[in-house]
Amino acid sequence: MCGIAGIIGRLDEPNHAALERMSHAMVHRGPDGSGTWISAPDSRGWGALLAHRRLSILDLSPGIKPLYMARSSDPDAGWSVAFASELRALLASGLLGTPRLDPHAVASGVWNGFVVGPGTAIKGVDLLWPGRLLELDGSGKEVRQEDFWRIPDRAPDPAMDEEGLAAILEEGLRLHLASDVPLAVFLSGGVDSSVMANLAQRAAQSPIHTFTLAFEEQELNEGPIARRIAAAIGTHHHEVLLTEGRFVENLGAALDSLDQPTFDGLNAYYMSHAIRTAGFTVALSGTGGDELFGGYTSYCQLPVLQRWSQRAAWVPRCLQVAAATVVTWPLRRSGATVPPQTRWAKLPEMVLHGDDLLALYQVAYALFLPNFQRELLAPGFAEVLADGLPTAMRRRVIAETRTRTPLSAISVMEQRLFLGERLLRDNDVASMASSLEQRMPLVDQVLCESVNRLPDQARYQPLGRKAMLRRIGLRGLDPALFERPKSGFVLPFDRWIRRGLKGVMDQTMRDPQAIAPVGLDPVGVERLWRAFLDGAPGMYWSRAWSVYVLIRWCHRNRVFR
């Protein structure tokens, strides 16, 4: 099922109507079929009301979608628990009264660019932990809660080798290819998507269909290299040109598809829309390869910083921070509207947390330095998180990484935070907005468990290359096709924000009445916007975009502090 919703409460007309509103709000998740189920009432007239939406496709999964849950604090409300596959479905239910913005979400949006769970943008609504089983009784009282799957403990096994892993990956891909409707593959031109396309074509009886999003801005256009890779694999290739004009014209619908504030997701939205328009209902993507095999710069840089911190432990931490501040002092002499927010400018903050790998990870990924975050946020909002994370998430990641090697710990952080809290949620709503099921063979529990049995040397070295994944997945292809600097699947946001989007963003980013109700400081936001337009060091498009999307999402969904 591609979308579910439910209420535990009185089996009366108001709750029936609320369930119908939730189902209707998710029609894009399953336009081909829907249904409801109502339990028998108990002695009080209470029970469970369930609804589902589905696409007409072969359903492979027992459940890999997010699940949002709200609990009523009013004993006279007539309901105790409501849940749905999308946060906006709960908003549409009418059960939440006047929804309030959670300060944790605002602070997380400013630090991370997205809302880190288990909380959500709305107070009183939480995400069920991935791999968590929650059992409730007929009144909504918790009966049982346990994890049926977690990221496995690191357990190197000499019996797990490249040949064995290849067989597991190929079998997993074969299962993901099972479909009774047309199936496509996202092909960005990078290693992970090329692995998916190559293995899928090797398993298919006829040319598979691959899709690439191309741009007029050649510095970010992967169309030509994707075309060469598709030709080498032998796929039936489709290249979809996304112009600035088309992007701006459809931006309203794209932003409306975001279930929570996030600076990501629109690339997947436009790609999914193009694939669905071409008549496909299922698509494979290569999401997950970097997290499993060490493709990000974090695997190279953070262990080095941690080792230097440990070697310099004899020097008082305050002196280390002072030295880092002196080294980076020339960066702060620019007289810019906002102090530099570059990776080098973060050095004093990273030295401060040098022996804490999770804190290092969070500072490295932070959109802004902590001091400027405090300028952007309303009073008191910056203090609700620790290193940009809610307490529950921070404790969970620490528990999952405590006994691991640095590289293995970073992999867990990337899986739990970057992949789980950002990519999977954003890709889910972006693809479902076009009624497209996105399948990710590299985000597979059997594969994850198997990769986790590899020794670090075989799994990660040489760092950043994903060498084992290349050898398994790119067989038969010229290695020279992939000897390019790594680049993410990114839209030409910087140029488009300065041109076609500048007017509408300028109006929002300079409007105190739009900014203050969402927990941001109008003066700080306007400084940020000016710094971006002036090209201040480290003020990349993602900084301004994340704040703009947060403001717009709150006003679009009428969720305020």
Side-chain angles (χ1 to χ4, degrees):
M1 288 181 285
C2 295
I4 61 173
I7 301 170
I8 297 178
R10 194 175 292 119
L11 302 182
D12 57 12
E13 181 54 36
N15 280 340
H16 278 80
L19 185 72
E20 179 62 29
R21 288 191 292 271
M22 285 198 284
S23 178
H24 182 72
M26 297 190 297
V27 66
H28 51 279
R29 299 188 74 92
D32 301 326
S34 64
T36 58
W37 178 85
I38 312 297
S39 73
D42 64 11
S43 59
R44 300 180 303 155
W46 278 50
L49 305 91
L50 305 177
H52 77 85
R53 313 284 323 193
R54 72 179 305 273
L55 291 168
S56 282
I57 58 173
L58 183 63
D59 193 353
L60 302 181
S61 168
I64 60 170
K65 303 295 185 182
L67 190 68
Y68 298 87
M69 188 170 68
R71 296 179 182 269
S72 175
S73 59
D74 181 1
D76 300 320
W79 66 280
S80 61
V81 174
F83 58 89
S85 298
E86 291 191 2
L87 183 62
R88 290 169 301 166
L90 290 173
L91 284 172
S93 72
L95 297 174
L96 304 184
T98 302
R100 293 297 179 192
L101 185 62
D102 194 324
H104 291 82
V106 182
S108 181
V110 168
W111 184 300
N112 303 291
F114 52 93
V115 180
V116 175
T120 68
I122 301 172
K123 281 185 178 180
V125 180
D126 292 317
L127 263 169
L128 191 65
W129 284 103
R132 175 69 53 89
L133 169 68
L134 176 63
E135 182 180 346
L136 307 172
D137 66 16
S139 65
K141 182 180 178 181
E142 183 178 313
V143 175
R144 179 168 56 122
Q145 185 171 179
E146 63 184 49
D147 291 329
F148 61 86
W149 192 84
R150 298 188 68 157
I151 296 174
D153 293 333
R154 180 173 176 271
D157 180 358
M160 177 52 63
D161 56 14
E162 185 170 317
E163 183 179 353
L165 189 68
I168 290 167
L169 177 55
E170 289 166 1
E171 172 63 12
L173 183 76
R174 186 188 66 78
L175 294 174
H176 281 83
L177 285 171
S179 177
D180 52 359
V181 295
L183 182 146
V185 179
F186 288 19
L187 181 60
S188 67
V191 168
D192 299 348
S193 65
S194 299
V195 165
M196 289 298 98
N198 192 41
L199 292 180
Q201 185 59 72
R202 292 167 70 95
Q205 302 300 316
S206 58
I208 63 168
H209 292 260
T210 50
F211 282 77
T212 296
L213 213 55
F215 312 113
E216 295 174 321
E217 292 78 7
Q218 291 306 306
E219 67 276 12
L220 291 175
N221 182 25
E222 293 192 323
I225 186 61
R227 207 179 307 137
R228 291 174 57 199
I229 293 170
I233 296 172
T235 73
H236 185 90
H237 191 57
H238 309 253
E239 187 172 298
V240 180
L241 180 64
L242 180 61
T243 64
E244 180 180 349
R246 182 177 164 225
F247 173 82
V248 173
E249 179 183 354
N250 294 280
L251 182 60
L255 289 174
D256 287 348
S257 75
L258 300 178
D259 199 39
Q260 291 203 75
T262 174
F263 67 168
D264 204 0
L266 295 197
N267 47 7
Y269 173 87
Y270 284 97
M271 175 70 91
S272 298
H273 185 266
I275 293 174
R276 190 67 168 96
T277 300
F280 295 84
T281 316
V282 178
L284 301 186
S285 81
T287 300
D290 288 309
E291 290 79 6
L292 282 183
F293 293 96
Y296 296 128
T297 57
S298 56
Y299 291 88
C300 304
Q301 298 172 353
L302 300 189
V304 172
L305 284 168
Q306 187 185 45
R307 285 197 300 271
W308 274 106
S309 176
Q310 292 166 346
R311 292 170 181 169
W314 59 275
V315 179
R317 187 59 56 88
C318 60
L319 293 182
Q320 294 181 38
V321 174
T325 302
V326 170
V327 168
T328 58
W329 177 73
L331 297 174
R332 296 185 292 278
R333 292 173 42 190
S334 62
T337 307
V338 174
Q341 304 293 306
T342 60
R343 183 67 61 91
W344 270 107
K346 294 178 179 179
L347 185 61
E349 192 72 26
M350 299 188 83
V351 168
L352 180 64
H353 299 287
D355 55 353
D356 184 338
L357 195 59
L358 178 56
L360 278 177
Y361 176 91
Q362 280 297 106
V363 172
Y365 273 97
L367 295 179
F368 308 100
L369 285 164
N371 284 342
F372 190 57
Q373 289 183 37
R374 284 186 278 272
E375 293 186 40
L376 289 170
L377 292 165
F381 276 45
E383 288 72 37
V384 300
L385 302 179
D387 300 322
L389 298 175
T391 301
M393 178 60 78
R394 193 172 191 279
R395 287 175 178 167
R396 186 174 184 115
V397 176
I398 289 173
E400 291 176 332
T401 57
R402 184 177 287 117
T403 62
R404 292 177 176 268
T405 65
L407 291 176
S408 179
I410 292 170
S411 179
V412 171
M413 295 173 197
E414 295 288 6
Q415 291 175 65
R416 179 64 70 192
L417 299 171
F418 189 79
L419 178 65
E421 297 297 307
R422 174 181 163 186
L423 294 183
L424 295 186
R425 290 213 313 257
D426 290 349
N427 285 353
D428 171 68
V429 296
S431 57
M432 283 282 101
S434 295
S435 304
L436 178 80
E437 177 175 276
Q438 185 180 160
R439 297 177 181 174
M440 292 163 280
L442 293 177
V443 185
D444 176 87
Q445 66 186 64
V446 175
L447 179 65
C448 179
E449 292 163 358
S450 303
V451 170
N452 205 59
R453 292 161 56 195
L454 293 168
D456 282 5
Q457 179 68 27
R459 179 177 176 181
Y460 300 113
Q461 300 294 341
L463 290 176
R465 293 281 298 172
K466 297 179 287 189
M468 182 176 287
L469 183 62
R470 289 183 185 225
R471 290 193 298 269
I472 292 172
L474 301 179
R475 295 174 193 165
L477 301 179
D478 183 356
L481 286 169
F482 305 96
E483 294 305 323
R484 295 171 284 115
K486 180 176 176 57
S487 61
F489 176 28
V490 181
L491 305 184
F493 271 112
D494 188 83
R495 186 173 299 183
W496 292 351
I497 290 174
R498 297 178 187 278
R499 296 192 313 201
L501 298 177
K502 183 178 179 181
V504 65
M505 288 186 65
D506 191 82
Q507 183 177 2
T508 298
M509 302 286 274
R510 298 181 190 272
D511 183 357
Q513 292 183 332
I515 297 167
V518 305
L520 297 172
D521 182 270
V523 175
V525 171
E526 185 173 2
R527 286 184 63 210
L528 158 66
W529 179 236
R530 290 203 314 270
F532 168 75
L533 294 177
D534 292 343
M539 201 56 68
Y540 309 116
W541 67 266
S542 55
R543 278 64 172 165
W545 183 250
S546 64
V547 171
Y548 170 73
V549 170
L550 172 62
I551 297 169
R552 187 193 184 279
W553 187 94
C554 291
H555 284 271
R556 179 69 177 85
N557 294 281
R558 303 193 60 77
V559 177
F560 305 110
R561 56 182 298 197

